[in-house]
Every structure is written in C-alpha cells, then in structure tokens.
Amino acid sequence: MSRTPSNMLPLGTIAPGFNLPDTVTDKMVSLDQIKGVNGTLIMFICNHCPFVKHVNSTITQLATNYQAQGIAFIAISSNDVVNYPQDAPELMKQTALLERYSFPYLFDETQAVAKAYEAACTPDFYLFDKNLRLVYRGQLDDSRPGNGIPSTGLDLRNAFEALLNNEPIDPVQKPSIGCNIKWK
C-alpha cells in the first residue's frame, strides 16, 4: 500500500464550492446547502483504501459527537472508478450504510473538487470555520494500519475543540498519510 502525504493546502484558504451527487440519497448537494453553522469538515475518502478502513469507526464516532455541535461532516470520493470499480457510487452507498455514515458521501466523478482542494490521499481532512476558511488540514491522529497505535482522532478532535471554544488552533499540523487518489 502506498503512503502518500497530504499537500497541506494553506491555512486561511476559502473552501472551494461544489455541487455533487450524494450516493446515499441520489440527490445533488452543494457545499452551501450542507455546510455547518460552526464549521465544516470535508474528508476525501474511498471504499477500498486500507487507511480509510482503519479509521472509519473513528470518523463515524467523531461525526456523532460533533455534528450535534454544529460541525458538518462531508465525505467525498474522487477516485477513478473505471480502474478502481470498488469505489463506484453504488458501492459507496453500500459502504456508507454499512459504516453508518451520518453524513453525505459524495462522488466527484470529474475529480475537479479533489483538484480544487489539492487533495492527494485518502483519507485527507480539511476543517473550515463557519466562514468556510481553512483552520486545520492534516491527519486524523497518529494511527496507521499495522503501527499498533489506536485510532482516537486526537489531532482532529483537538482542532474541533479549539474551533468550538474560539481558541487558536495549533498551526503546526501533521499531514495525513494514505493511499493516493486514483487519478484518471
């Protein structure tokens, strides 16, 4: 499995807008429609990546804890489904239901959204404040498949807490590591 790091989009970047199909509801949704009142987490994930599979339960737990506090969670898959059919929209829906995602799982067929966010890997996390300014990008925590460290979501959890408490978020942020996005 490859170990591709995040590109680390500059802090303060305004979230690029999008209008993508939600594979669970089969409806088109835009960032403006589903952004959070206190913040928005955008995650680039996919079905088959072992790094994503390793943290799926942590992501769903964080969503349960923080959606109630006004943080929107949005998952996007941008992988090439011709060469990686396990990431196709109908299988994304199955994964969302199996993993009990309480957030939209969007399909970026053209890969334009991944390019706009400079996403490089799965998982890749971007936390924006209520004004859609980037305040955190990087890893969920130090856990990786096979390294023996439990996944707690510590890095992202710390960013959520700082955002919600109007405290500064540590600008020293570690890149996420995962499988590279499967470009066309």
Side-chain angles (χ1 to χ4, degrees):
M1 96 186 107
S2 68
R3 297 178 60 87
T4 302
S6 300
N7 283 327
M8 304 300 279
L9 192 64
L11 293 173
T13 298
I14 299 294
F18 53 76
N19 191 39
L20 295 171
D22 180 352
T23 59
V24 176
T25 65
D26 295 322
K27 294 181 179 174
M28 296 296 289
V29 294
S30 70
L31 175 58
D32 286 337
Q33 290 172 315
I34 57 177
K35 68 182 180 182
V37 295
N38 292 321
T40 302
L41 177 70
I42 296 177
M43 308 169 277
F44 287 86
I45 65 172
C46 71
N47 293 343
H48 84 275
C49 173
F51 290 90
V52 174
K53 288 179 178 182
H54 179 72
V55 299
N56 260 329
S57 63
T58 304
I59 292 169
T60 56
Q61 180 185 34
L62 287 172
T64 298
N65 295 341
Y66 289 101
Q67 285 174 317
Q69 297 182 59
I71 304 286
F73 279 58
I74 302 166
I76 301 172
S77 179
S78 300
N79 279 358
D80 171 14
V81 298
V82 172
N83 290 308
Y84 297 87
Q86 62 270 50
D87 291 330
E90 61 274 6
L91 298 177
M92 290 171 60
K93 181 176 184 173
Q94 287 179 14
T95 296
L97 296 173
L98 178 69
E99 295 293 338
R100 298 189 173 143
Y101 290 169
S102 58
F103 44 84
Y105 192 11
L106 311 179
F107 181 49
D108 177 23
E109 183 176 11
T110 67
Q111 303 182 320
V113 177
K115 289 175 183 170
Y117 282 79
E118 297 182 23
C121 61
T122 57
D124 217 346
F125 299 96
Y126 301 84
L127 177 60
F128 297 88
D129 68 13
K130 64 184 177 185
N131 299 314
L132 294 176
R133 286 194 186 280
L134 185 64
V135 295
Y136 178 85
R137 76 286 191 245
Q139 70 175 11
L140 180 69
D141 55 35
D142 288 325
S143 183
R144 306 287 184 268
N147 76 356
I149 299 171
S151 180
T152 62
L154 181 64
D155 294 53
L156 195 52
R157 188 181 308 274
N158 287 341
F160 287 143
E161 289 298 325
L163 179 64
L164 291 169
N165 292 306
N166 293 313
E167 297 170 353
I169 296 174
D170 187 348
V172 178
Q173 300 169 4
K174 298 177 188 174
S176 188
I177 301 287
C179 298
N180 62 303
I181 290 181
K182 308 308 182 206
W183 301 106
K184 293 181 182 182

PDB file of all heavy atoms in Angstrom, residues 115-153:
ATOM      1  N   LYS A 115      -9.135  18.269  -7.113  1.00  0.00           N
ATOM      2  CA  LYS A 115      -8.084  19.162  -7.617  1.00  0.00           C
ATOM      3  C   LYS A 115      -8.210  20.551  -6.984  1.00  0.00           C
ATOM      4  O   LYS A 115      -7.203  21.160  -6.633  1.00  0.00           O
ATOM      5  CB  LYS A 115      -8.143  19.240  -9.139  1.00  0.00           C
ATOM      6  CG  LYS A 115      -7.683  17.947  -9.793  1.00  0.00           C
ATOM      7  CD  LYS A 115      -7.855  17.957 -11.296  1.00  0.00           C
ATOM      8  CE  LYS A 115      -7.442  16.600 -11.873  1.00  0.00           C
ATOM      9  NZ  LYS A 115      -7.795  16.461 -13.278  1.00  0.00           N
ATOM     10  N   ALA A 116      -9.421  21.047  -6.814  1.00  0.00           N
ATOM     11  CA  ALA A 116      -9.627  22.372  -6.218  1.00  0.00           C
ATOM     12  C   ALA A 116      -9.129  22.412  -4.771  1.00  0.00           C
ATOM     13  O   ALA A 116      -8.615  23.431  -4.315  1.00  0.00           O
ATOM     14  CB  ALA A 116     -11.102  22.756  -6.281  1.00  0.00           C
ATOM     15  N   TYR A 117      -9.249  21.291  -4.067  1.00  0.00           N
ATOM     16  CA  TYR A 117      -8.790  21.203  -2.675  1.00  0.00           C
ATOM     17  C   TYR A 117      -7.332  20.742  -2.568  1.00  0.00           C
ATOM     18  O   TYR A 117      -6.811  20.632  -1.472  1.00  0.00           O
ATOM     19  CB  TYR A 117      -9.687  20.242  -1.881  1.00  0.00           C
ATOM     20  CG  TYR A 117     -10.997  20.868  -1.471  1.00  0.00           C
ATOM     21  CD1 TYR A 117     -12.050  20.994  -2.374  1.00  0.00           C
ATOM     22  CD2 TYR A 117     -11.181  21.354  -0.187  1.00  0.00           C
ATOM     23  CE1 TYR A 117     -13.245  21.573  -2.009  1.00  0.00           C
ATOM     24  CE2 TYR A 117     -12.378  21.938   0.189  1.00  0.00           C
ATOM     25  CZ  TYR A 117     -13.410  22.038  -0.730  1.00  0.00           C
ATOM     26  OH  TYR A 117     -14.596  22.635  -0.360  1.00  0.00           O
ATOM     27  N   GLU A 118      -6.722  20.450  -3.703  1.00  0.00           N
ATOM     28  CA  GLU A 118      -5.365  19.906  -3.739  1.00  0.00           C
ATOM     29  C   GLU A 118      -5.251  18.626  -2.913  1.00  0.00           C
ATOM     30  O   GLU A 118      -4.227  18.353  -2.283  1.00  0.00           O
ATOM     31  CB  GLU A 118      -4.334  20.946  -3.284  1.00  0.00           C
ATOM     32  CG  GLU A 118      -4.282  22.156  -4.188  1.00  0.00           C
ATOM     33  CD  GLU A 118      -3.228  23.179  -3.784  1.00  0.00           C
ATOM     34  OE1 GLU A 118      -2.252  22.818  -3.097  1.00  0.00           O
ATOM     35  OE2 GLU A 118      -3.408  24.359  -4.169  1.00  0.00           O
ATOM     36  N   ALA A 119      -6.341  17.849  -2.901  1.00  0.00           N
ATOM     37  CA  ALA A 119      -6.349  16.579  -2.178  1.00  0.00           C
ATOM     38  C   ALA A 119      -5.342  15.630  -2.823  1.00  0.00           C
ATOM     39  O   ALA A 119      -5.180  15.623  -4.046  1.00  0.00           O
ATOM     40  CB  ALA A 119      -7.746  15.966  -2.201  1.00  0.00           C
ATOM     41  N   ALA A 120      -4.672  14.860  -1.999  1.00  0.00           N
ATOM     42  CA  ALA A 120      -3.640  13.958  -2.506  1.00  0.00           C
ATOM     43  C   ALA A 120      -3.873  12.510  -2.100  1.00  0.00           C
ATOM     44  O   ALA A 120      -3.445  11.602  -2.795  1.00  0.00           O
ATOM     45  CB  ALA A 120      -2.265  14.406  -2.011  1.00  0.00           C
ATOM     46  N   CYS A 121      -4.506  12.317  -0.950  1.00  0.00           N
ATOM     47  CA  CYS A 121      -4.593  10.967  -0.407  1.00  0.00           C
ATOM     48  C   CYS A 121      -5.956  10.716   0.221  1.00  0.00           C
ATOM     49  O   CYS A 121      -6.759  11.619   0.394  1.00  0.00           O
ATOM     50  CB  CYS A 121      -3.487  10.748   0.627  1.00  0.00           C
ATOM     51  SG  CYS A 121      -3.556  11.856   2.052  1.00  0.00           S
ATOM     52  N   THR A 122      -6.170   9.451   0.542  1.00  0.00           N
ATOM     53  CA  THR A 122      -7.339   9.053   1.314  1.00  0.00           C
ATOM     54  C   THR A 122      -6.846   8.341   2.567  1.00  0.00           C
ATOM     55  O   THR A 122      -6.027   7.435   2.445  1.00  0.00           O
ATOM     56  CB  THR A 122      -8.268   8.139   0.492  1.00  0.00           C
ATOM     57  OG1 THR A 122      -7.551   6.993   0.039  1.00  0.00           O
ATOM     58  CG2 THR A 122      -8.856   8.872  -0.698  1.00  0.00           C
ATOM     59  N   PRO A 123      -7.246   8.823   3.737  1.00  0.00           N
ATOM     60  CA  PRO A 123      -8.109   9.978   3.975  1.00  0.00           C
ATOM     61  C   PRO A 123      -7.317  11.291   3.966  1.00  0.00           C
ATOM     62  O   PRO A 123      -6.140  11.318   4.291  1.00  0.00           O
ATOM     63  CB  PRO A 123      -8.653   9.708   5.381  1.00  0.00           C
ATOM     64  CG  PRO A 123      -7.547   8.973   6.072  1.00  0.00           C
ATOM     65  CD  PRO A 123      -6.907   8.125   4.992  1.00  0.00           C
ATOM     66  N   ASP A 124      -7.981  12.355   3.574  1.00  0.00           N
ATOM     67  CA  ASP A 124      -7.417  13.705   3.598  1.00  0.00           C
ATOM     68  C   ASP A 124      -8.486  14.582   4.249  1.00  0.00           C
ATOM     69  O   ASP A 124      -9.631  14.583   3.801  1.00  0.00           O
ATOM     70  CB  ASP A 124      -7.108  14.172   2.173  1.00  0.00           C
ATOM     71  CG  ASP A 124      -5.848  15.002   2.053  1.00  0.00           C
ATOM     72  OD1 ASP A 124      -5.321  15.455   3.085  1.00  0.00           O
ATOM     73  OD2 ASP A 124      -5.394  15.217   0.911  1.00  0.00           O
ATOM     74  N   PHE A 125      -8.140  15.305   5.308  1.00  0.00           N
ATOM     75  CA  PHE A 125      -9.101  16.044   6.124  1.00  0.00           C
ATOM     76  C   PHE A 125      -8.880  17.543   6.028  1.00  0.00           C
ATOM     77  O   PHE A 125      -7.747  18.010   6.136  1.00  0.00           O
ATOM     78  CB  PHE A 125      -8.988  15.628   7.602  1.00  0.00           C
ATOM     79  CG  PHE A 125      -9.261  14.179   7.835  1.00  0.00           C
ATOM     80  CD1 PHE A 125      -8.224  13.261   7.905  1.00  0.00           C
ATOM     81  CD2 PHE A 125     -10.561  13.717   7.992  1.00  0.00           C
ATOM     82  CE1 PHE A 125      -8.469  11.918   8.124  1.00  0.00           C
ATOM     83  CE2 PHE A 125     -10.814  12.376   8.209  1.00  0.00           C
ATOM     84  CZ  PHE A 125      -9.764  11.465   8.276  1.00  0.00           C
ATOM     85  N   TYR A 126      -9.984  18.286   5.889  1.00  0.00           N
ATOM     86  CA  TYR A 126      -9.960  19.750   5.815  1.00  0.00           C
ATOM     87  C   TYR A 126     -11.062  20.288   6.720  1.00  0.00           C
ATOM     88  O   TYR A 126     -12.244  20.027   6.479  1.00  0.00           O
ATOM     89  CB  TYR A 126     -10.242  20.219   4.383  1.00  0.00           C
ATOM     90  CG  TYR A 126      -9.259  19.716   3.361  1.00  0.00           C
ATOM     91  CD1 TYR A 126      -9.405  18.455   2.788  1.00  0.00           C
ATOM     92  CD2 TYR A 126      -8.186  20.503   2.964  1.00  0.00           C
ATOM     93  CE1 TYR A 126      -8.509  17.993   1.841  1.00  0.00           C
ATOM     94  CE2 TYR A 126      -7.281  20.038   2.011  1.00  0.00           C
ATOM     95  CZ  TYR A 126      -7.445  18.788   1.464  1.00  0.00           C
ATOM     96  OH  TYR A 126      -6.562  18.330   0.533  1.00  0.00           O
ATOM     97  N   LEU A 127     -10.678  21.047   7.750  1.00  0.00           N
ATOM     98  CA  LEU A 127     -11.658  21.641   8.646  1.00  0.00           C
ATOM     99  C   LEU A 127     -11.725  23.144   8.393  1.00  0.00           C
ATOM    100  O   LEU A 127     -10.704  23.839   8.443  1.00  0.00           O
ATOM    101  CB  LEU A 127     -11.278  21.382  10.111  1.00  0.00           C
ATOM    102  CG  LEU A 127     -12.197  22.017  11.163  1.00  0.00           C
ATOM    103  CD1 LEU A 127     -13.635  21.514  11.042  1.00  0.00           C
ATOM    104  CD2 LEU A 127     -11.636  21.766  12.560  1.00  0.00           C
ATOM    105  N   PHE A 128     -12.937  23.611   8.115  1.00  0.00           N
ATOM    106  CA  PHE A 128     -13.197  25.015   7.836  1.00  0.00           C
ATOM    107  C   PHE A 128     -14.050  25.600   8.954  1.00  0.00           C
ATOM    108  O   PHE A 128     -14.891  24.906   9.529  1.00  0.00           O
ATOM    109  CB  PHE A 128     -13.933  25.157   6.491  1.00  0.00           C
ATOM    110  CG  PHE A 128     -13.128  24.683   5.323  1.00  0.00           C
ATOM    111  CD1 PHE A 128     -13.175  23.357   4.922  1.00  0.00           C
ATOM    112  CD2 PHE A 128     -12.303  25.555   4.628  1.00  0.00           C
ATOM    113  CE1 PHE A 128     -12.418  22.900   3.843  1.00  0.00           C
ATOM    114  CE2 PHE A 128     -11.544  25.116   3.550  1.00  0.00           C
ATOM    115  CZ  PHE A 128     -11.596  23.784   3.158  1.00  0.00           C
ATOM    116  N   ASP A 129     -13.835  26.885   9.244  1.00  0.00           N
ATOM    117  CA  ASP A 129     -14.654  27.559  10.250  1.00  0.00           C
ATOM    118  C   ASP A 129     -16.023  27.897   9.660  1.00  0.00           C
ATOM    119  O   ASP A 129     -16.325  27.549   8.514  1.00  0.00           O
ATOM    120  CB  ASP A 129     -13.922  28.779  10.821  1.00  0.00           C
ATOM    121  CG  ASP A 129     -13.726  29.923   9.825  1.00  0.00           C
ATOM    122  OD1 ASP A 129     -14.348  29.929   8.735  1.00  0.00           O
ATOM    123  OD2 ASP A 129     -12.928  30.825  10.136  1.00  0.00           O
ATOM    124  N   LYS A 130     -16.849  28.617  10.442  1.00  0.00           N
ATOM    125  CA  LYS A 130     -18.207  28.933   9.988  1.00  0.00           C
ATOM    126  C   LYS A 130     -18.228  29.816   8.752  1.00  0.00           C
ATOM    127  O   LYS A 130     -19.228  29.870   8.040  1.00  0.00           O
ATOM    128  CB  LYS A 130     -19.012  29.573  11.114  1.00  0.00           C
ATOM    129  CG  LYS A 130     -18.491  30.893  11.585  1.00  0.00           C
ATOM    130  CD  LYS A 130     -19.289  31.409  12.757  1.00  0.00           C
ATOM    131  CE  LYS A 130     -18.694  32.712  13.271  1.00  0.00           C
ATOM    132  NZ  LYS A 130     -19.397  33.153  14.475  1.00  0.00           N
ATOM    133  N   ASN A 131     -17.116  30.498   8.466  1.00  0.00           N
ATOM    134  CA  ASN A 131     -16.998  31.333   7.269  1.00  0.00           C
ATOM    135  C   ASN A 131     -16.309  30.609   6.114  1.00  0.00           C
ATOM    136  O   ASN A 131     -15.931  31.232   5.122  1.00  0.00           O
ATOM    137  CB  ASN A 131     -16.253  32.629   7.605  1.00  0.00           C
ATOM    138  CG  ASN A 131     -16.983  33.440   8.644  1.00  0.00           C
ATOM    139  OD1 ASN A 131     -18.181  33.632   8.552  1.00  0.00           O
ATOM    140  ND2 ASN A 131     -16.268  33.892   9.661  1.00  0.00           N
ATOM    141  N   LEU A 132     -16.134  29.311   6.278  1.00  0.00           N
ATOM    142  CA  LEU A 132     -15.501  28.433   5.282  1.00  0.00           C
ATOM    143  C   LEU A 132     -14.039  28.800   5.019  1.00  0.00           C
ATOM    144  O   LEU A 132     -13.532  28.611   3.911  1.00  0.00           O
ATOM    145  CB  LEU A 132     -16.309  28.374   3.977  1.00  0.00           C
ATOM    146  CG  LEU A 132     -17.683  27.718   4.106  1.00  0.00           C
ATOM    147  CD1 LEU A 132     -18.448  27.800   2.789  1.00  0.00           C
ATOM    148  CD2 LEU A 132     -17.561  26.262   4.554  1.00  0.00           C
ATOM    149  N   ARG A 133     -13.343  29.272   6.058  1.00  0.00           N
ATOM    150  CA  ARG A 133     -11.892  29.499   5.997  1.00  0.00           C
ATOM    151  C   ARG A 133     -11.199  28.288   6.614  1.00  0.00           C
ATOM    152  O   ARG A 133     -11.577  27.829   7.689  1.00  0.00           O
ATOM    153  CB  ARG A 133     -11.486  30.736   6.787  1.00  0.00           C
ATOM    154  CG  ARG A 133     -11.854  32.015   6.124  1.00  0.00           C
ATOM    155  CD  ARG A 133     -11.125  33.206   6.767  1.00  0.00           C
ATOM    156  NE  ARG A 133     -11.602  34.437   6.189  1.00  0.00           N
ATOM    157  CZ  ARG A 133     -11.204  34.913   5.016  1.00  0.00           C
ATOM    158  NH1 ARG A 133     -10.318  34.280   4.306  1.00  0.00           N
ATOM    159  NH2 ARG A 133     -11.693  36.045   4.560  1.00  0.00           N
ATOM    160  N   LEU A 134     -10.182  27.791   5.928  1.00  0.00           N
ATOM    161  CA  LEU A 134      -9.462  26.602   6.386  1.00  0.00           C
ATOM    162  C   LEU A 134      -8.712  26.892   7.688  1.00  0.00           C
ATOM    163  O   LEU A 134      -7.905  27.817   7.754  1.00  0.00           O
ATOM    164  CB  LEU A 134      -8.477  26.143   5.307  1.00  0.00           C
ATOM    165  CG  LEU A 134      -7.737  24.837   5.577  1.00  0.00           C
ATOM    166  CD1 LEU A 134      -8.701  23.658   5.650  1.00  0.00           C
ATOM    167  CD2 LEU A 134      -6.692  24.585   4.493  1.00  0.00           C
ATOM    168  N   VAL A 135      -8.995  26.080   8.715  1.00  0.00           N
ATOM    169  CA  VAL A 135      -8.325  26.247  10.004  1.00  0.00           C
ATOM    170  C   VAL A 135      -7.489  25.031  10.384  1.00  0.00           C
ATOM    171  O   VAL A 135      -6.634  25.102  11.261  1.00  0.00           O
ATOM    172  CB  VAL A 135      -9.328  26.567  11.135  1.00  0.00           C
ATOM    173  CG1 VAL A 135      -9.991  27.926  10.884  1.00  0.00           C
ATOM    174  CG2 VAL A 135     -10.378  25.475  11.290  1.00  0.00           C
ATOM    175  N   TYR A 136      -7.759  23.895   9.729  1.00  0.00           N
ATOM    176  CA  TYR A 136      -6.979  22.683  10.005  1.00  0.00           C
ATOM    177  C   TYR A 136      -6.990  21.826   8.752  1.00  0.00           C
ATOM    178  O   TYR A 136      -8.011  21.676   8.091  1.00  0.00           O
ATOM    179  CB  TYR A 136      -7.573  21.876  11.176  1.00  0.00           C
ATOM    180  CG  TYR A 136      -6.795  20.605  11.441  1.00  0.00           C
ATOM    181  CD1 TYR A 136      -5.672  20.621  12.244  1.00  0.00           C
ATOM    182  CD2 TYR A 136      -7.159  19.410  10.844  1.00  0.00           C
ATOM    183  CE1 TYR A 136      -4.926  19.473  12.450  1.00  0.00           C
ATOM    184  CE2 TYR A 136      -6.424  18.250  11.032  1.00  0.00           C
ATOM    185  CZ  TYR A 136      -5.309  18.292  11.841  1.00  0.00           C
ATOM    186  OH  TYR A 136      -4.550  17.152  12.025  1.00  0.00           O
ATOM    187  N   ARG A 137      -5.838  21.250   8.455  1.00  0.00           N
ATOM    188  CA  ARG A 137      -5.745  20.228   7.407  1.00  0.00           C
ATOM    189  C   ARG A 137      -4.623  19.309   7.830  1.00  0.00           C
ATOM    190  O   ARG A 137      -3.617  19.720   8.395  1.00  0.00           O
ATOM    191  CB  ARG A 137      -5.505  20.825   6.005  1.00  0.00           C
ATOM    192  CG  ARG A 137      -4.098  21.317   5.717  1.00  0.00           C
ATOM    193  CD  ARG A 137      -3.841  22.613   6.450  1.00  0.00           C
ATOM    194  NE  ARG A 137      -2.626  23.268   6.021  1.00  0.00           N
ATOM    195  CZ  ARG A 137      -1.574  23.453   6.818  1.00  0.00           C
ATOM    196  NH1 ARG A 137      -1.551  22.983   8.038  1.00  0.00           N
ATOM    197  NH2 ARG A 137      -0.534  24.122   6.381  1.00  0.00           N
ATOM    198  N   GLY A 138      -4.869  18.040   7.637  1.00  0.00           N
ATOM    199  CA  GLY A 138      -3.853  17.085   8.050  1.00  0.00           C
ATOM    200  C   GLY A 138      -4.448  15.794   8.558  1.00  0.00           C
ATOM    201  O   GLY A 138      -5.546  15.406   8.178  1.00  0.00           O
ATOM    202  N   GLN A 139      -3.706  15.177   9.466  1.00  0.00           N
ATOM    203  CA  GLN A 139      -4.057  13.831   9.897  1.00  0.00           C
ATOM    204  C   GLN A 139      -5.182  13.804  10.929  1.00  0.00           C
ATOM    205  O   GLN A 139      -5.400  14.765  11.658  1.00  0.00           O
ATOM    206  CB  GLN A 139      -2.832  13.125  10.444  1.00  0.00           C
ATOM    207  CG  GLN A 139      -2.322  13.656  11.770  1.00  0.00           C
ATOM    208  CD  GLN A 139      -1.176  12.829  12.311  1.00  0.00           C
ATOM    209  OE1 GLN A 139      -0.606  11.977  11.620  1.00  0.00           O
ATOM    210  NE2 GLN A 139      -0.826  13.048  13.553  1.00  0.00           N
ATOM    211  N   LEU A 140      -5.842  12.664  10.984  1.00  0.00           N
ATOM    212  CA  LEU A 140      -6.850  12.380  11.998  1.00  0.00           C
ATOM    213  C   LEU A 140      -6.154  12.174  13.345  1.00  0.00           C
ATOM    214  O   LEU A 140      -6.540  12.747  14.352  1.00  0.00           O
ATOM    215  CB  LEU A 140      -7.622  11.127  11.588  1.00  0.00           C
ATOM    216  CG  LEU A 140      -8.729  10.646  12.501  1.00  0.00           C
ATOM    217  CD1 LEU A 140      -9.898  11.609  12.475  1.00  0.00           C
ATOM    218  CD2 LEU A 140      -9.194   9.265  12.072  1.00  0.00           C
ATOM    219  N   ASP A 141      -5.107  11.342  13.318  1.00  0.00           N
ATOM    220  CA  ASP A 141      -4.304  11.037  14.501  1.00  0.00           C
ATOM    221  C   ASP A 141      -3.050  10.298  14.032  1.00  0.00           C
ATOM    222  O   ASP A 141      -2.817  10.180  12.826  1.00  0.00           O
ATOM    223  CB  ASP A 141      -5.102  10.218  15.529  1.00  0.00           C
ATOM    224  CG  ASP A 141      -5.708   8.931  14.964  1.00  0.00           C
ATOM    225  OD1 ASP A 141      -5.079   8.285  14.090  1.00  0.00           O
ATOM    226  OD2 ASP A 141      -6.807   8.560  15.399  1.00  0.00           O
ATOM    227  N   ASP A 142      -2.267   9.790  14.960  1.00  0.00           N
ATOM    228  CA  ASP A 142      -1.014   9.103  14.619  1.00  0.00           C
ATOM    229  C   ASP A 142      -1.195   7.641  14.232  1.00  0.00           C
ATOM    230  O   ASP A 142      -0.230   6.967  13.875  1.00  0.00           O
ATOM    231  CB  ASP A 142      -0.028   9.182  15.786  1.00  0.00           C
ATOM    232  CG  ASP A 142       0.556  10.571  15.983  1.00  0.00           C
ATOM    233  OD1 ASP A 142       0.774  11.268  14.971  1.00  0.00           O
ATOM    234  OD2 ASP A 142       0.790  10.957  17.143  1.00  0.00           O
ATOM    235  N   SER A 143      -2.397   7.120  14.300  1.00  0.00           N
ATOM    236  CA  SER A 143      -2.649   5.710  13.996  1.00  0.00           C
ATOM    237  C   SER A 143      -2.590   5.454  12.496  1.00  0.00           C
ATOM    238  O   SER A 143      -3.081   6.254  11.694  1.00  0.00           O
ATOM    239  CB  SER A 143      -4.026   5.306  14.529  1.00  0.00           C
ATOM    240  OG  SER A 143      -4.253   3.940  14.309  1.00  0.00           O
ATOM    241  N   ARG A 144      -1.973   4.347  12.135  1.00  0.00           N
ATOM    242  CA  ARG A 144      -1.918   3.875  10.748  1.00  0.00           C
ATOM    243  C   ARG A 144      -2.112   2.358  10.777  1.00  0.00           C
ATOM    244  O   ARG A 144      -1.798   1.711  11.789  1.00  0.00           O
ATOM    245  CB  ARG A 144      -0.566   4.172  10.084  1.00  0.00           C
ATOM    246  CG  ARG A 144      -0.118   5.625  10.120  1.00  0.00           C
ATOM    247  CD  ARG A 144      -0.918   6.519   9.172  1.00  0.00           C
ATOM    248  NE  ARG A 144      -0.394   7.875   9.157  1.00  0.00           N
ATOM    249  CZ  ARG A 144      -0.810   8.865   9.935  1.00  0.00           C
ATOM    250  NH1 ARG A 144      -1.762   8.667  10.818  1.00  0.00           N
ATOM    251  NH2 ARG A 144      -0.284  10.074   9.842  1.00  0.00           N
ATOM    252  N   PRO A 145      -2.573   1.769   9.694  1.00  0.00           N
ATOM    253  CA  PRO A 145      -2.719   0.311   9.680  1.00  0.00           C
ATOM    254  C   PRO A 145      -1.390  -0.360  10.050  1.00  0.00           C
ATOM    255  O   PRO A 145      -0.350  -0.048   9.486  1.00  0.00           O
ATOM    256  CB  PRO A 145      -3.103  -0.003   8.233  1.00  0.00           C
ATOM    257  CG  PRO A 145      -3.710   1.264   7.714  1.00  0.00           C
ATOM    258  CD  PRO A 145      -2.976   2.373   8.424  1.00  0.00           C
ATOM    259  N   GLY A 146      -1.437  -1.208  11.044  1.00  0.00           N
ATOM    260  CA  GLY A 146      -0.269  -2.000  11.416  1.00  0.00           C
ATOM    261  C   GLY A 146       0.716  -1.336  12.356  1.00  0.00           C
ATOM    262  O   GLY A 146       1.689  -1.969  12.753  1.00  0.00           O
ATOM    263  N   ASN A 147       0.509  -0.060  12.764  1.00  0.00           N
ATOM    264  CA  ASN A 147       1.510   0.551  13.637  1.00  0.00           C
ATOM    265  C   ASN A 147       1.201   0.359  15.123  1.00  0.00           C
ATOM    266  O   ASN A 147       1.981   0.800  15.976  1.00  0.00           O
ATOM    267  CB  ASN A 147       1.758   2.028  13.296  1.00  0.00           C
ATOM    268  CG  ASN A 147       0.679   2.992  13.756  1.00  0.00           C
ATOM    269  OD1 ASN A 147      -0.352   2.600  14.295  1.00  0.00           O
ATOM    270  ND2 ASN A 147       0.910   4.272  13.517  1.00  0.00           N
ATOM    271  N   GLY A 148       0.088  -0.273  15.453  1.00  0.00           N
ATOM    272  CA  GLY A 148      -0.225  -0.594  16.841  1.00  0.00           C
ATOM    273  C   GLY A 148      -0.754   0.564  17.669  1.00  0.00           C
ATOM    274  O   GLY A 148      -1.041   0.400  18.848  1.00  0.00           O
ATOM    275  N   ILE A 149      -0.887   1.743  17.073  1.00  0.00           N
ATOM    276  CA  ILE A 149      -1.421   2.903  17.793  1.00  0.00           C
ATOM    277  C   ILE A 149      -2.928   2.946  17.557  1.00  0.00           C
ATOM    278  O   ILE A 149      -3.374   2.946  16.409  1.00  0.00           O
ATOM    279  CB  ILE A 149      -0.764   4.214  17.302  1.00  0.00           C
ATOM    280  CG1 ILE A 149       0.742   4.178  17.555  1.00  0.00           C
ATOM    281  CG2 ILE A 149      -1.410   5.427  17.954  1.00  0.00           C
ATOM    282  CD1 ILE A 149       1.499   5.335  16.915  1.00  0.00           C
ATOM    283  N   PRO A 150      -3.725   2.975  18.627  1.00  0.00           N
ATOM    284  CA  PRO A 150      -5.177   3.022  18.427  1.00  0.00           C
ATOM    285  C   PRO A 150      -5.622   4.337  17.798  1.00  0.00           C
ATOM    286  O   PRO A 150      -5.041   5.388  18.066  1.00  0.00           O
ATOM    287  CB  PRO A 150      -5.758   2.861  19.830  1.00  0.00           C
ATOM    288  CG  PRO A 150      -4.638   2.991  20.779  1.00  0.00           C
ATOM    289  CD  PRO A 150      -3.349   2.920  20.028  1.00  0.00           C
ATOM    290  N   SER A 151      -6.658   4.273  16.979  1.00  0.00           N
ATOM    291  CA  SER A 151      -7.201   5.469  16.348  1.00  0.00           C
ATOM    292  C   SER A 151      -8.160   6.148  17.316  1.00  0.00           C
ATOM    293  O   SER A 151      -9.166   5.577  17.720  1.00  0.00           O
ATOM    294  CB  SER A 151      -7.925   5.120  15.048  1.00  0.00           C
ATOM    295  OG  SER A 151      -8.435   6.294  14.460  1.00  0.00           O
ATOM    296  N   THR A 152      -7.829   7.393  17.678  1.00  0.00           N
ATOM    297  CA  THR A 152      -8.648   8.175  18.613  1.00  0.00           C
ATOM    298  C   THR A 152      -9.186   9.444  17.973  1.00  0.00           C
ATOM    299  O   THR A 152     -10.063  10.086  18.534  1.00  0.00           O
ATOM    300  CB  THR A 152      -7.811   8.585  19.831  1.00  0.00           C
ATOM    301  OG1 THR A 152      -6.735   9.414  19.372  1.00  0.00           O
ATOM    302  CG2 THR A 152      -7.272   7.374  20.573  1.00  0.00           C
ATOM    303  N   GLY A 153      -8.618   9.851  16.841  1.00  0.00           N
ATOM    304  CA  GLY A 153      -8.992  11.109  16.213  1.00  0.00           C
ATOM    305  C   GLY A 153      -8.440  12.316  16.942  1.00  0.00           C
ATOM    306  O   GLY A 153      -8.940  13.431  16.785  1.00  0.00           O
TER     307      GLY A 153
END
